[in-house]
Amino acid sequence: MKRLTLARACAALAAAGSIASLPAAAQTSTADAIAEYRTMLADGNPADLWVAKGEELWKKVRGPKNASMARCDLGRGPGVVKGAFVELPRYFSDTARVQDLESRLLTCMETLQGFNAAEVAKTPFGRGEKANIESLVAYVASESRDMAFNLPQSHPDERTMYETGKRIFFYRGGPYDFSCASCHASDGKRIRLQDLPNLTTQKGAGAGFGSWPAYRVSNGQLWTMQHRLNDCYRQQRFPFPEYASEVTVALGVYLGVTARGAESIAPAIKR
Amino acid sequence: MTLKHHLSIAAVATAAAAVVSGCAAPRAPAPDYDKMADAMMKTSFRAQGQAKMDRVQQDPLQDACSSATAPPESVTKKLEATQLATIKPPASGQYIGDWKSGEKLAENGRGMTWSDKPEADSGGNCYNCHELAKSQISYGTIGPSLYRYGKLRGVQNPADPGSAAMVQYTWGKLYNAKAYSACSEMPRFGHFKVLNEKQLQDLMAYLLDPKSPVNQ
Amino acid sequence: MGDPMRIRAQVKDGVADVRVLMAHPMETGFRKDSAGAVVPARYIEEVKATSGGKTVLTARWGPAISQNPYLQFRFKGAKVGDKVTIVWTDNTGDTRTDEATLS
Amino acid sequence: MSRHSRRDILRQAGAVAAVAGCGLLAGRNALAANPPGFEAKTLDAAMKSLGGAATESKDITITSPDIAENGAVVPITVSSNLPQTQEIYIFVEKNPFPLTASFTIPEGTDPYVSTRVKMGESTNVHAVVKAGGKLYTTFKETKVTLGGCGG
């Protein structure tokens, strides 16, 4: 694994060794202890470091056109950040398509600042302008904290993306026969010790879709929804979903519409 | 193709009816979301590492099991029969391997992703979804608990002829779980060559060997 | 110099409660990158907090402090409007200073 | 305190930070190297480097999770009720270098520090407090688990 930190390597040893020596404690007490651990981490979420950087990037004059993002239209009008996150993905008439936050940031970086969107999309997560998008995502999300998801479904293309997204969610493939639904379509399931939200319900989609972007303590990175979906498909043993591609946006619409009414806690902190 | 054909006929029929009754223009047929979703699956991905584009090409079973509701029994029965026919017994005739190697496989959740080395063996991924030995508290619950799998099924000696039916069923389940439940979430480890014969034998031992921690 | 810190500093009954997040990789020197090369150690060795010209905390750290470090401490005799300054220095000599106003 | 007002403070802190100077890179030798205890490879050796034996004390409290979901980030808080607390040390027993952090507590600063540490495996965390020139200690265990599918 490329993200082999000391802690990870050692943690793997721990799983093989000392976990086996843990008393076969009732699963509930383990769950309680883990809940306590998460509570201890909730205050002081390093995602705040990305929020600060993103806010700075939003206002900064950058790129070949020497412009800031301050006129970027995220759906609520040019420059309006507050409340935009909980209404995305949505239809944009200037590009004539449904876009999620990351797709839309690419558009603004290209039209306002003169960056090459295709090149930025190809950049690996956590590098170069892709890393800058991650900070911008953290900032934009933070400006809708505690607001309820309310994705529009008035444009026919938005309804199409919901319907196709739902079908893509159940699409099985690859050598393991997995779909998103393999792990995320029943209540109360776990993979190893990790709780799996049922993303087909309002509550589950609110908890799942509604907590990305998030800081991941396992690797010290801030993961956006695109990064989350990308890694889900990696673990489904699928090929590589292109950044901001139709499949990823359609899934965002399906999950976001399903989550309607749930309050956003993004950027959250995750295992 | 057939479906589309039917739709256009229906549209013509509706249009004719509309003309006759003097109503407004007919409504367009409902969009074919299934087809649109399939098209997106083909254009939104690219090959990466060992994960090539053939992986979004569905086989008939994957296609039939790709919606929120399970297909009717008439369909699942046929699928199960087809899958049952794929199961091959071990070439060596030997069903049971080494439970210690099986345990390592059960713990291992790696393999076949675009970031895994193509030549590296896959893990069994068992603990992701199943409880097995009591000593491992980090287990998933997507599948049923397999704690005391062999013991609860009365397997005292897997080599005993009395255990043959259970041994062969378990082999079949690992080889192609879809033979017993068409839209099961469990991968077809033997059928899709995720695991080789030796690995399957070792997992068999982990489940069925009376000395395995699973059966303590 | 690294990215900005996030400092929260609040006063209650004359006691300042300071919570700091620092953007830093805290590389142990044991980790290997995807090419198999060892990533050199890079970690914050010292954190110094001052307020009103007085040092209120000095921390010395090894590489086992978590990535993007968190630090919380409390000092007395503080009032709203006072400043608190945090300086970190890592083992490569890199350093960063940020300041916050107590509220 | 609500999230919103907290964010306002954050923003304020950030603005000030932009003004604050970052200084030139300090040379490696401009910096006092960490004391020898940080290089000790066993708990005993690391504790000995503090210059004396520590007495068990109930006046030191370690707050840490019983089970940490991820060893990369384990929150540890140490507080002391011992009069004249001058220094606080945190040791992670089974890490390659057990001494993880030391804190100098000047007069007027509460004998309380909270941070997050890496843990290679389930281990005891030891806190040593220097108070009135003497050393005191206590410990607490944290178990480290691994979730997810290991991919």
Side-chain angles (χ1 to χ4, degrees), chain B residues 150 153-170 208:
Chain B
R153 286 159 183 79
V155 178
Q156 279 155 5
N157 175 9
D160 187 43
S163 302
M166 186 47 63
V167 167
Q168 282 163 28
Y169 162 76
T170 306
L208 293 165

Side-chain angles (χ1 to χ4, degrees), chain B residues 47-61:
Chain B
Q48 173 93 350
Q50 62 174 300
K52 308 288 189 226
M53 285 303 288
D54 60 352
R55 292 190 181 184
V56 289
Q57 213 63 256
Q58 294 179 315
D59 78 352
L61 181 130

Side-chain angles (χ1 to χ4, degrees), chain B residues 172-189:
Chain B
K173 188 85 186 168
L174 290 174
Y175 195 96
N176 188 341
K178 269 72 173 183
Y180 310 93
S181 171
C183 296
S184 159
E185 301 300 350
M186 184 161 153
R188 293 173 274 180
F189 291 108

Side-chain angles (χ1 to χ4, degrees), chain C residues 54 56 74-77, chain D residues 105-110:
Chain C
K54 181 180 177 290
V56 290
R74 292 168 184 158
F75 64 92
K76 296 183 186 74
Chain D
I105 313 288
E107 217 185 306
T109 294
D110 284 357

Side-chain angles (χ1 to χ4, degrees), chain A residues 171-174 176-180 182 235-238, chain B residues 185 187:
Chain A
Y171 190 100
R172 289 205 193 206
Y176 286 23
D177 297 329
F178 286 163
S179 68
C180 305
S182 302
Q235 297 199 45
Q236 274 172 243
R237 276 77 181 174
F238 272 49
Chain B
E185 301 300 350

Side-chain angles (χ1 to χ4, degrees), chain A residues 2-6, chain C residues 25 27-34 36-40:
Chain A
K2 61 183 171 204
R3 295 191 309 261
L4 192 71
T5 61
L6 166 71
Chain C
E27 285 289 355
T28 59
F30 294 106
R31 194 176 70 92
K32 287 181 178 163
D33 65 15
S34 50
V38 173
V39 180

Side-chain angles (χ1 to χ4, degrees), chain D residues 48-110:
Chain D
K48 273 193 189 119
S49 75
L50 305 187
T55 318
E56 289 275 332
S57 172
K58 288 196 169 63
D59 288 316
I60 309 168
T61 309
I62 302 176
T63 310
S64 62
D66 294 335
I67 299 180
E69 199 174 9
N70 196 305
V73 183
V74 183
I76 307 280
T77 301
V78 179
S79 59
S80 160
N81 282 326
L82 294 157
Q84 299 168 58
T85 292
Q86 303 154 286
E87 289 164 20
I88 295 175
Y89 296 85
I90 296 173
F91 299 84
V92 181
E93 184 171 331
K94 289 190 186 166
N95 274 6
F97 301 103
L99 178 54
T100 302
S102 76
F103 300 89
T104 308
I105 313 288
E107 217 185 306
T109 294
D110 284 357

Side-chain angles (χ1 to χ4, degrees), chain B residues 125-147:
Chain B
N125 292 266
C126 311
Y127 276 106
N128 285 344
C129 300
H130 296 283
E131 179 184 32
L132 291 117
K134 270 288 174 220
S135 51
Q136 177 53 283
I137 61 158
S138 178
Y139 61 84
T141 59
I142 296 167
S145 171
L146 302 176
Y147 172 56

